[in-house]
Amino acid sequence: MVQAGYVRQVMAGVYDYLPLGLMVLNKISNIVREEMNNIGGQEVLMPVLHPASLWKQTGGWDKIDVLFKMKSRIGKDYALAQSNEETVTPLAKEWIHTVKDLPLAIYHINWKFRDELRSKSGILRGREFLMKDLYSWHKNQQDFEIFYQKAKQAYLKIFKRMGLKAKATEASGGGFTEKLSYEFEVLTDAGEARILYCDSCDYCVNVDDIKTYQEGDLCPRCKKDKLQPAKAAEVGNVFDLGQKYTKAFDFYVVNEQGEKIYPIMGCYGLGTTRLMGVIVEKCNDEKGIIWPEQIAPFQVYLINIPGSGVDGKAKKIYDELMEKGIEVFWDDRKDVSVGEKFSDADLIGLPWRVIVSSKTGDKLEVKKRTEEKAELMDLESFLKLLQ
Ligand code: ATP
Ligand code: MG
């Protein structure tokens, strides 16, 4: 990604997202956004700079080791968002007063900061990274469970839309709660999670959490295959937070009987920058990246081979494709050899490469990134292929 100009490292765990990289991120975010809106999530934008008081109120100030803490010049304490329970709960409390106001689901896609000890896996583990975090509140456990399942399905759909197959584990809730949670894992050697998985079904467990199973054990779900070890990247998770945060912020609602109840809260994280890295880990060959169409920054890599009339022809093709709403990246560099353009096309990894030259007459030379052979066709046929 660095070589192809998607990102630039500023320091370990901190990156610039360059024009192509930002386009990919925006595509990922838009898929996430659509699916979160589909389950009733409302998008907001919360701050990353938090007063220490909120984190002291939940105990996170002393307990969370990755929390970045800062002092202002007049000695006031602040924290940088490592997650947003501490701001979203007081926010919901301000608007929600009776059970009739529930359920509620709020999310944002914003920077998170974590003092990770090791940040050696590129954008897979940032000290500053983007996360989509959704939070929900419910009048009772049953209502929460229904939404929780919906969120889980939405997550599986998101990963599928990005061309990824994610396995849903059941894991303990870690520092948050003792309740169950789901982790979504994508098998890749670049990941840091160690899992045992079943090839015949979706079953998978995190090795750190579930000591009951060992490599070679029969899959407890489908009982067809043996559990195999693998490395995986956690691309998302959902937690049942119970009443931990609603109690910490004294966020209660009044029910039909006029009694005070503390809503049940859930949180649903998804690492958008990590996802971008995971997709690259899964979709590449020795020449470079192979973006799935849905999140490629552009669909077409257009190259014009110097020759008489070619520039004009390429311009016409570019305009016509753009007019049809096709995203075209036109490599019109004058000082670069054709061979270099070809290797950059492979490295950058757009789904289609289109060449215009004086030899091809009215036709285009079209090649899919995943295929070796190019084909000659007219613009009409290419447009049909794209559809
Ligand atoms: P991990 O075990 O990888 O540290 P986590 O359990 O700390 O993850 P959460 O706090 O649940 O993760 O955050 C939600 C999601 O945010 C994760 O599923 C992951 O996709 C992403 N994420 C977490 N930490 C990072 C990081 N340092 N860099 C990039 N993405 C991250
Ligand atoms: Mg972590």
Side-chain angles (χ1 to χ4, degrees), residues 219-374:
C219 170
R221 187 174 292 163
C222 71
K223 303 199 164 59
K224 279 190 202 146
D225 228 328
K226 287 180 175 166
L227 295 180
Q228 305 174 47
K231 284 169 88 182
E234 183 194 309
V235 286
N237 59 30
V238 301
F239 284 110
D240 174 356
L241 296 173
Q243 295 171 316
K244 176 178 156 122
Y245 289 90
T246 51
K247 282 193 172 156
F249 288 105
D250 198 29
F251 168 23
Y252 60 82
V253 293
V254 178
N255 70 9
E256 289 90 348
Q257 287 77 43
E259 299 156 343
K260 274 165 69 170
I261 55 162
Y262 289 95
I264 305 291
M265 181 170 167
C267 74
Y268 316 75
L270 187 145
T272 53
T273 45
R274 178 178 288 180
L275 258 178
M276 180 171 165
V278 167
I279 292 164
V280 172
E281 287 295 339
K282 299 295 282 185
C283 309
N284 68 77
D285 62 13
E286 68 289 348
K287 294 180 193 153
I289 304 171
I290 306 174
W291 291 110
E293 266 169 45
Q294 316 82 281
I295 54 164
F298 293 88
Q299 298 308 307
V300 175
Y301 195 103
L302 178 67
I303 299 174
N304 47 322
I305 295 180
S308 74
V310 173
D311 283 358
K313 198 167 125 187
K315 169 87 171 76
K316 197 163 160 267
I317 299 286
Y318 177 79
D319 288 343
E320 283 187 35
L321 286 170
M322 292 293 280
E323 218 170 88
K324 291 270 183 324
I326 315 269
E327 301 153 319
V328 188
F329 179 94
W330 183 8
D331 187 349
D332 62 350
R333 290 174 293 175
K334 299 270 183 276
D335 50 349
V336 165
S337 74
V338 172
E340 218 171 310
K341 289 189 183 186
F342 284 1
S343 50
D344 280 348
D346 284 338
L347 179 63
I348 287 172
L350 308 182
W352 300 91
R353 190 189 74 188
V354 170
I355 297 171
V356 178
S357 75
S358 54
K359 278 191 231 146
T360 56
D362 277 345
K363 302 223 157 131
L364 311 171
E365 191 192 301
V366 173
K367 191 184 91 65
K368 238 184 151 165
R369 174 64 180 84
T370 47
E371 280 162 20
E372 282 303 312
K373 266 189 65 185

Side-chain angles (χ1 to χ4, degrees), residues 114 116 124-126 129 131 234-237 239 269 271 274:
R114 291 189 185 179
E116 303 277 3
L124 294 184
R125 185 167 299 282
F129 59 96
M131 190 206 283
E234 183 194 309
V235 286
N237 59 30
F239 284 110
R274 178 178 288 180

Side-chain angles (χ1 to χ4, degrees), residues 16-300:
D16 286 317
Y17 288 82
L18 306 180
L20 288 175
L22 183 58
M23 285 178 198
V24 172
L25 261 181
N26 286 338
K27 292 213 168 170
I28 291 175
S29 296
N30 282 336
I31 292 178
V32 172
R33 206 169 258 133
E34 276 176 31
E35 299 305 334
M36 291 300 102
N37 293 346
N38 273 343
I39 58 168
Q42 300 184 61
E43 188 173 7
V44 294
L45 186 56
M46 290 179 283
V48 294
L49 184 63
H50 301 174
S53 57
L54 293 177
W55 289 86
K56 288 181 178 160
Q57 203 161 334
T58 58
W61 184 261
D62 294 316
K63 276 197 211 123
I64 299 179
D65 51 4
V66 296
L67 188 67
F68 271 114
K69 300 169 182 172
M70 300 190 307
K71 239 186 215 325
S72 78
R73 54 183 153 167
I74 55 160
K76 272 184 120 178
D77 288 321
Y78 296 88
L80 291 180
Q82 65 89 34
S83 183
N84 274 78
E85 283 81 357
E86 274 74 1
T87 64
V88 80
T89 315
L91 167 66
K93 177 182 171 175
E94 208 158 311
W95 298 91
I96 305 299
H97 304 294
T98 80
V99 280
K100 287 190 200 135
D101 299 328
L102 295 174
L104 176 72
I106 296 176
Y107 73 97
H108 74 165
I109 303 174
N110 206 2
W111 294 106
K112 300 290 176 290
F113 298 84
R114 291 189 185 179
D115 192 359
E116 303 277 3
L117 281 183
R118 287 168 304 110
S119 206
K120 289 192 284 194
S121 311
I123 64 167
L124 294 184
R125 185 167 299 282
R127 294 200 165 97
E128 175 178 340
F129 59 96
L130 279 174
M131 190 206 283
K132 182 283 301 170
D133 36 329
L134 176 116
Y135 306 88
S136 72
W137 295 268
H138 306 268
K139 62 180 177 194
N140 57 33
Q141 193 67 24
Q142 189 193 1
D143 193 65
F144 165 71
E145 300 283 343
I146 294 167
F147 186 79
Y148 193 61
Q149 291 303 331
K150 265 200 217 167
K152 183 189 167 190
Q153 293 312 320
Y155 269 40
L156 291 173
K157 194 162 163 209
I158 286 168
F159 302 132
K160 200 166 162 203
R161 284 183 64 180
M162 292 175 190
L164 291 175
K165 235 171 125 176
K167 301 218 171 233
T169 70
E170 290 205 350
S172 73
F176 280 95
T177 162
E178 290 313 308
K179 294 187 166 149
L180 271 185
S181 69
Y182 293 106
E183 273 175 16
F184 298 86
E185 305 277 359
V186 173
L187 267 57
T188 164
D189 282 340
E192 291 171 358
R194 293 184 176 278
I195 60 164
L196 290 172
Y197 76 101
C198 171
D199 224 6
S200 297
C201 73
D202 276 341
Y203 190 78
C204 124
V205 286
N206 199 311
V207 172
D208 301 329
D209 285 316
I210 308 191
K211 304 242 156 53
T212 10
Y213 296 108
Q214 281 184 348
E215 178 180 352
D217 283 354
L218 203 58
C219 170
R221 187 174 292 163
C222 71
K223 303 199 164 59
K224 279 190 202 146
D225 228 328
K226 287 180 175 166
L227 295 180
Q228 305 174 47
K231 284 169 88 182
E234 183 194 309
V235 286
N237 59 30
V238 301
F239 284 110
D240 174 356
L241 296 173
Q243 295 171 316
K244 176 178 156 122
Y245 289 90
T246 51
K247 282 193 172 156
F249 288 105
D250 198 29
F251 168 23
Y252 60 82
V253 293
V254 178
N255 70 9
E256 289 90 348
Q257 287 77 43
E259 299 156 343
K260 274 165 69 170
I261 55 162
Y262 289 95
I264 305 291
M265 181 170 167
C267 74
Y268 316 75
L270 187 145
T272 53
T273 45
R274 178 178 288 180
L275 258 178
M276 180 171 165
V278 167
I279 292 164
V280 172
E281 287 295 339
K282 299 295 282 185
C283 309
N284 68 77
D285 62 13
E286 68 289 348
K287 294 180 193 153
I289 304 171
I290 306 174
W291 291 110
E293 266 169 45
Q294 316 82 281
I295 54 164
F298 293 88
Q299 298 308 307
V300 175

